[in-house]
Amino acid sequence: MSKRYLLALYNNFDEAEAVVSELRNSDIKGFDAADDLVVKSPIEHPEVEEFLGEKPVKVQWFTLGGALTGGLLAFTLIAGSQASFYSQMKGGKPIVPIPPDLVLTYEMFILGGVYITVLGFLICAGLPARRSPLYSAKVSEDQIGILVKAEDGSVAKLREIFTKHKALEIQEEAGR
């Protein structure tokens, strides 16, 4: 089935919260509140996290992976380049001196962690992304928008929930 997008606008944050909690508690076929629900607001509402729930944060795993990869790659390349000169006279020094190599390895730990953290942030934030299929300039001014994506058969039920909670405006667009 094809997907449709609905955008409902509200003046009152409490009404928007009531709509989101009803959408989460309702069992509508073709609509998953965890994946198909977006709340848009012109200002930050600290209580949004309470009723939307915790979202998994994965950026720290990118940081850990980038730091470990950068450090291991740096140590391997530095030690490999020093070991390739094993036939040179070292005067009793080790072929791969660990203390000086650790300085450059530390720098690459940081550099790898920073670069991959930025990349991980962009991936986790979904950037670059196409614009939302529905947009209203009123969301940027003073209204709260609730954007949902659902199958054709559940659009009537979603419209009923939006109108029950006094939506100022409901926009609809066919999915792609």
Side-chain angles (χ1 to χ4, degrees):
M1 292 189 80
S2 67
K3 296 279 188 173
R4 292 183 101 43
Y5 293 91
L6 289 168
L7 176 69
L9 299 176
Y10 293 92
N11 269 341
N12 189 352
F13 182 75
D14 295 328
E15 281 296 327
E17 182 178 359
V19 169
V20 170
S21 33
E22 184 171 343
L23 288 173
R24 283 193 174 276
N25 295 330
S26 65
D27 185 30
I28 301 172
K29 186 180 180 215
F31 171 73
D32 181 23
D35 297 329
D36 300 333
L37 175 69
V38 177
V39 177
K40 298 181 177 193
S41 174
I43 60 172
E44 181 180 346
H45 293 282
E47 55 272 1
V48 164
E49 288 183 18
E50 293 175 19
F51 76 85
L52 284 181
E54 292 290 323
K55 299 282 184 183
V57 179
K58 299 175 185 159
V59 174
Q60 69 264 21
W61 294 109
F62 282 95
T63 304
L64 178 65
L68 292 176
T69 303
L72 291 173
L73 182 66
F75 188 78
T76 303
L77 291 175
I78 293 166
S81 65
Q82 291 170 338
S84 67
F85 297 112
Y86 67 91
S87 61
Q88 290 182 347
M89 297 298 292
K90 294 280 190 175
K93 296 179 186 172
I95 294 174
V96 178
I98 300 295
D101 290 355
L102 288 180
V103 174
L104 293 173
T105 302
Y106 170 73
E107 296 295 331
M108 288 305 292
F109 264 115
I110 294 172
L111 191 64
V114 168
Y115 280 144
I116 300 302
T117 298
V118 171
L119 180 68
F121 168 74
L122 293 174
I123 290 170
C124 290
L127 296 174
R130 294 186 310 189
R131 272 188 104 175
S132 175
L134 289 176
Y135 179 75
S136 176
K138 296 174 185 174
V139 173
S140 299
E141 296 167 3
D142 63 347
Q143 293 180 358
I144 297 143
I146 298 177
L147 178 68
V148 295
K149 176 176 73 171
E151 291 182 3
D152 287 333
S154 58
V155 170
K157 179 70 175 161
L158 290 169
R159 277 185 170 277
E160 178 183 317
I161 291 173
F162 289 151
T163 53
K164 181 173 90 172
H165 289 281
K166 303 174 192 138
L168 299 173
E169 180 181 338
I170 300 173
Q171 297 177 10
E172 183 175 347
E173 180 177 283
R176 296 182 184 120

